[in-house]
Amino acid sequence: MITQDTHTVWTRGKITALVVLSVLWFAGAAYIGSAELLANVTGSFFPPIALTAVAPVVLFLAAYLISARFREFVLGQDIETLTMLQHWRIIGFVFLVLYSFSVLPGTFAWPAGTGDILIGLAAPLMVMRLRREPDFATSKGLVRYHLLGLLDFAVAVTAAGLTAGAFPAFTPGGLTSAPMDVWPLNLFPSFIVPAFIIMHLTVLLKVRALRRETEHTFATRPLAA
């Protein structure tokens, strides 16, 4: 049975492993950005730095499909906690600040920044609903919230590609999304974004599992005489 209790899921060893993995991941992202290894020097619509956002998500999904032990660990996570962590998405306001200082183009900063802020502000509302209504954990409303969070990232990535330089109409004045390819802003695509995507996916996977469990319970329940 899938439960919301994470006390037995997060052992000391797993916490240590997560800390080590996070440190190495952060260090790798910092090196890639500071060394400008994936800078989009050609202004391509497909910025190379996007690979650092995609790779961790692909590895996560591959591990989920291949490893039953990892799948059990993922499904043991707490929906409320993962949803509340999305509150940190309000950090997207930094894009609007950088736009005001002419560091990032508005065509990228406005959709990416406002989307993150809205998702972040909505997170506590989702959590309050979860606490009032336990059944909200398998509701369409919660699923829509997490799908919108993923859509926000898709919009931001598209905006970054459109303002990378390949389409001058999206970069009036020559201001591009190039600062997102290098340190310190590359931490968004290389570290922060994939981490939040994985949290969104974890919730969606768990919601699906909870729904299946509920359907199985109803299907196997004996009919009243």
Side-chain angles (χ1 to χ4, degrees), residues 214-224:
T214 301
E215 292 170 359
H216 176 74
T217 300
F218 278 109
T220 58
R221 179 179 296 174
L223 295 175

Side-chain angles (χ1 to χ4, degrees), residues 36-60:
E36 301 185 11
L37 296 181
L38 296 176
N40 190 9
V41 293
T42 62
S44 169
F45 173 71
F46 300 99
I49 199 69
L51 294 173
T52 62
V54 173
V57 177
V58 171
L59 290 174
F60 168 79

Side-chain angles (χ1 to χ4, degrees), residues 47-210:
I49 199 69
L51 294 173
T52 62
V54 173
V57 177
V58 171
L59 290 174
F60 168 79
L61 292 174
Y64 182 85
L65 293 173
I66 294 171
S67 172
R69 187 174 179 181
F70 183 73
R71 186 159 54 248
E72 181 182 359
F73 172 73
V74 170
L75 296 179
Q77 300 309 309
D78 181 51
I79 289 177
E80 184 179 309
T81 300
L82 292 175
T83 300
M84 190 62 195
L85 284 172
Q86 296 294 335
H87 178 59
W88 287 101
R89 293 276 290 277
I90 59 174
I91 195 175
F93 82 91
V94 73
F95 297 141
L96 301 180
V97 174
L98 292 173
Y99 162 69
S100 69
F101 283 96
S102 298
V103 175
L104 292 173
T107 312
F108 165 76
W110 279 107
T114 55
D116 277 343
I117 292 170
L118 291 174
I119 293 296
L121 292 176
L125 302 178
M126 295 295 105
V127 171
M128 286 191 289
R129 185 80 180 272
L130 283 167
R131 291 179 178 177
R132 288 197 310 266
E133 305 171 33
D135 288 343
F136 188 65
T138 56
S139 69
K140 291 181 180 179
L142 184 66
V143 169
R144 278 196 295 266
Y145 169 76
H146 286 281
L147 288 176
L148 285 172
L150 293 174
L151 178 61
D152 171 53
F153 285 134
V155 170
V157 170
T158 302
L162 290 173
T163 57
F167 305 98
F170 290 98
T171 56
L175 196 62
T176 72
S177 60
M180 298 297 298
D181 301 339
V182 297
W183 175 265
L185 292 183
N186 82 291
L187 285 180
F188 282 93
S190 302
F191 184 77
I192 297 173
V193 167
F196 279 112
I197 289 177
I198 288 171
M199 285 189 277
H200 277 307
L201 292 176
T202 298
V203 171
L204 293 172
L205 289 169
K206 179 152 186 176
V207 168
R208 185 182 66 169
L210 286 171

